[in-house]
Amino acid sequence: MDMLSNIALGLDTALTWQNLLYCFIGVFLGTLVGVIPGIGHLAAMSMLFPLTFYLDPTTALIMLAGIWYGSSYGGNTASILLNIPGSPANAVTCLDGYPMARQGRGGVALFMTTIASFIGGSIGIILLMMFAPVIASYALQFGSAEYFALMVLGLVAASTISDGSAVKGLAMVTLGIMFGCVGSDIYTGMPRFDFGQLELTDAINLVALAMGIFGVAEIIASVRRIKKGDIDPESVKLRAMKPTREDLKRSWGAMGRGSAIGSFFGTLPGTGPSVAAFMAYAVEKKSSKNPEEFGKGRIEGIMAPESANNAADQTSFIPTLSLGIPGSPTMALMLGALMIHGISPGPSLVAEQPSLFWGLIMSFWIGNLMLLVLNIPLIGVWVRMLMIPYHLLYPAVLMFICIGVYTVSNSAFDVWLVLFFGALGYVMRIFDWPGAPLLLGFVLGPLMEEHFRRAMLMSRGNFGTFIDRPISATVLAITAILLLWTMYSALSGRRKKRLSALVE
């Protein structure tokens, strides 16, 4: 009965005209951003972040969430038609989607990935409804020691489980925490690491950092390598989108397996839709009777990863909303929107803000239905968008980034910060240093410090408080095991490389 009353409360909130309007704006912009390679949902969310200051917090989150999961729908268009992933999570779709387009089945691939996205997202929403409140009810028993331990685990997991070097990931987390220390001390109010700049006493602007690291850096990296594609308009007309009976038969199992894998990986900090999509593809290929056909236009090769990344999009809200721990840079921006409105993220959110929590979840159903209706008829429009040369698009994107960051506090200093972080982000890309752990460290660093100092005050300076409490001790033990496993994997990987080099 509680679940029914919560659903009714959520629908009552989500179906207001303002929330419906901003849900539509979010999913439309998310789809557009997903279609255009090189921008990314993080840059789009960062550009629209200042708008959330003037919106109701529920409305703001509904719009930002719409951009997040809408970009997964749109990202498959460029992946299938141009062999250019609209987002990292859509990269694996290129493997079989582009060969299908070359065979004249681009319309079928686009139609089926839209269905896969809807089903994967729906399964993710159901799991979010079932498990987020349960986790939150147990998490209400957590104190500062438990929160500190969970945040340490989240940061370590984000830097070690995700793609790339774990050492580089940990270094980026540390750099993010250092940036988060800039500003006034949370207890004494004394300025620190401000280098005499009055603008830095209120801390580094989250929007400026996100826009620079993910927006400007992505544009610099993309502007030379992305060109307009040669697309056959006939292959994406409605008549060409009808799948065969064999396509449908092979798709259901792939969607089910992909949704299950995506739902699991979405709840783990540091993994998210990209890892979920690649894992789903790997499982599908290994379990297939004809693995040699993958990479040549196999329908399961697009259905499994697309359902996985959309399921992961939804279940990534479970740790974010129920524990207040963002598992990805996108979720960090969502928490930033909450904190700007004075709402404390964490287990108390479900109990203290039920209309916000359930209204957001119900908006996911509405947004996914909007995307299902929008994507199929608008495929022709997105195809024409892909024919616009990228060098005409990126100046407009840069202009909106500068306008967006300036409107946060009407400060030209923030625009210079965007340029600084844009240059830093581009250098990081050259040396393959990941940006996501940096943003997570920046958001979680001040919260970690706050809970650490509070735990130390309550225990009168006894470090044993983190080990004496069973939950925090267990979480820290898991963190230590994860670090040791990462170090072992890195060392064994180096040994294998040396042995192979000697053999050669």
Side-chain angles (χ1 to χ4, degrees), residues 25 30 58 93 95 149 153 156 231 234 281 294 296 314 337 347 355 448 472:
I25 291 171
T58 306
T93 309
L95 299 177
L153 174 62
V156 170
I231 302 164
E234 294 296 322
Y281 186 84
F294 280 77
K296 300 176 182 177
Q314 307 298 341
S355 62
M448 277 178 60
S472 62

Side-chain angles (χ1 to χ4, degrees), residues 264-351:
F264 172 74
F265 279 98
T267 59
L268 300 178
T271 52
S274 299
V275 176
F278 279 94
M279 284 297 296
Y281 186 84
V283 168
E284 207 60 36
K285 186 175 180 180
K286 239 173 194 182
S287 61
S288 175
K289 294 178 181 177
N290 307 101
E292 70 281 354
E293 293 182 8
F294 280 77
K296 300 176 182 177
R298 187 85 177 177
I299 192 81
E300 297 98 310
I302 62 173
M303 301 302 282
E306 283 300 319
S307 56
N309 73 51
N310 279 273
D313 285 345
Q314 307 298 341
T315 55
S316 61
F317 282 91
I318 292 176
T320 304
L321 296 177
S322 59
L323 298 175
I325 300 172
S328 68
T330 310
M331 294 298 108
L333 281 179
M334 300 289 284
L335 285 193
L338 278 174
M339 294 191 301
I340 282 169
H341 286 277
I343 298 172
S344 299
S348 59
L349 177 71
V350 182

Side-chain angles (χ1 to χ4, degrees), residues 22-98:
Y22 280 95
C23 183
F24 176 80
I25 291 171
V27 297
F28 181 82
L29 289 175
T31 307
L32 178 62
V33 162
V35 168
I36 301 172
I39 298 178
H41 53 262
L42 264 171
M45 290 173 71
S46 301
M47 283 189 280
L48 291 173
F49 198 78
L51 182 63
T52 63
F53 303 162
Y54 311 102
L55 295 175
D56 177 81
T58 306
T59 307
L61 288 178
I62 285 172
M63 182 185 71
L64 291 176
I67 297 171
W68 165 237
Y69 56 81
S71 64
S72 293
Y73 276 74
N76 58 49
T77 305
S79 301
I80 291 168
L81 298 179
L82 295 183
N83 202 28
I84 300 171
S87 68
N90 299 115
V92 70
T93 309
C94 296
L95 299 177
D96 283 275
Y98 187 63

Side-chain angles (χ1 to χ4, degrees), residues 190-409:
M190 292 293 293
R192 56 188 186 181
F193 310 115
D194 61 349
F195 301 100
Q197 294 290 330
L198 184 64
E199 293 88 349
L200 288 178
T201 54
D202 287 332
I204 291 173
N205 192 329
L206 170 66
V207 182
L209 185 142
M211 283 186 177
I213 295 292
F214 295 99
V216 176
E218 183 69 40
I219 290 169
I220 296 170
S222 301
V223 69
R224 288 186 176 273
R225 62 181 170 83
I226 294 180
K227 300 175 183 179
K228 72 172 185 176
D230 182 20
I231 302 164
D232 179 14
E234 294 296 322
S235 68
V236 292
K237 287 189 174 180
L238 286 173
R239 280 177 295 181
M241 292 184 191
K242 187 178 178 182
T244 64
R245 188 171 293 180
E246 183 65 22
D247 289 334
L248 293 171
K249 182 182 175 182
R250 295 199 312 226
S251 295
W252 295 113
M255 283 190 288
R257 289 184 290 270
S259 299
I261 292 167
S263 298
F264 172 74
F265 279 98
T267 59
L268 300 178
T271 52
S274 299
V275 176
F278 279 94
M279 284 297 296
Y281 186 84
V283 168
E284 207 60 36
K285 186 175 180 180
K286 239 173 194 182
S287 61
S288 175
K289 294 178 181 177
N290 307 101
E292 70 281 354
E293 293 182 8
F294 280 77
K296 300 176 182 177
R298 187 85 177 177
I299 192 81
E300 297 98 310
I302 62 173
M303 301 302 282
E306 283 300 319
S307 56
N309 73 51
N310 279 273
D313 285 345
Q314 307 298 341
T315 55
S316 61
F317 282 91
I318 292 176
T320 304
L321 296 177
S322 59
L323 298 175
I325 300 172
S328 68
T330 310
M331 294 298 108
L333 281 179
M334 300 289 284
L335 285 193
L338 278 174
M339 294 191 301
I340 282 169
H341 286 277
I343 298 172
S344 299
S348 59
L349 177 71
V350 182
E352 294 175 3
Q353 303 282 343
S355 62
L356 183 150
F357 177 80
W358 288 103
L360 180 62
I361 290 179
M362 288 300 105
S363 76
F364 295 163
W365 286 113
I366 297 167
N368 272 273
L369 285 170
M370 285 181 178
L371 285 165
L372 189 64
V373 173
L374 269 176
N375 268 270
I376 295 170
L378 286 181
I379 284 171
V381 176
W382 304 138
V383 168
R384 287 174 178 81
M385 286 288 298
L386 290 174
M387 294 179 179
I388 299 173
Y390 192 72
H391 70 269
L392 299 178
L393 289 176
Y394 82 87
V397 175
L398 283 174
M399 179 189 71
F400 283 119
I401 286 176
C402 292
I403 291 172
V405 76
Y406 181 80
T407 56
V408 174
S409 54

